[in-house]
Amino acid sequence: MRELLGIVGFFALVQGVAGLVHEFTDWDWGLVQRYDFLDGYEVYVSVALIVLALALFAAADSRKHD
């Protein structure tokens, strides 16, 4: 379970950073800008993904070692 939380957290962190990089540099990568219903909220969603990633890393760290 720890590994799954870490992998999902890493994916959320990468996508959050990619969304912020896309907004501020116009590089075309990441998934956040590809969804039309998020139009205008890309920065908020990217920050939320980074916060989610930190929470997932904390949850993975709090799990007991097997």
Side-chain angles (χ1 to χ4, degrees):
M1 188 65 167
R2 291 186 65 202
E3 294 83 15
L4 179 64
L5 289 172
I7 291 169
V8 173
F10 178 74
F11 182 72
L13 181 67
V14 168
Q15 291 306 311
V17 169
L20 289 178
V21 167
H22 173 75
E23 282 300 310
F24 296 120
T25 63
D26 247 1
W27 286 0
D28 193 23
W29 64 291
L31 295 176
V32 174
Q33 73 274 4
R34 302 209 192 280
Y35 294 110
D36 291 335
F37 66 90
L38 296 176
D39 194 29
Y41 298 103
E42 291 93 351
V43 173
Y44 301 117
V45 171
S46 297
V47 171
L49 280 170
I50 293 171
V51 171
L52 174 67
L54 295 175
L56 287 170
F57 290 146
D61 194 40
S62 72
R63 301 286 296 181
K64 290 187 179 183
H65 296 280
D66 293 336

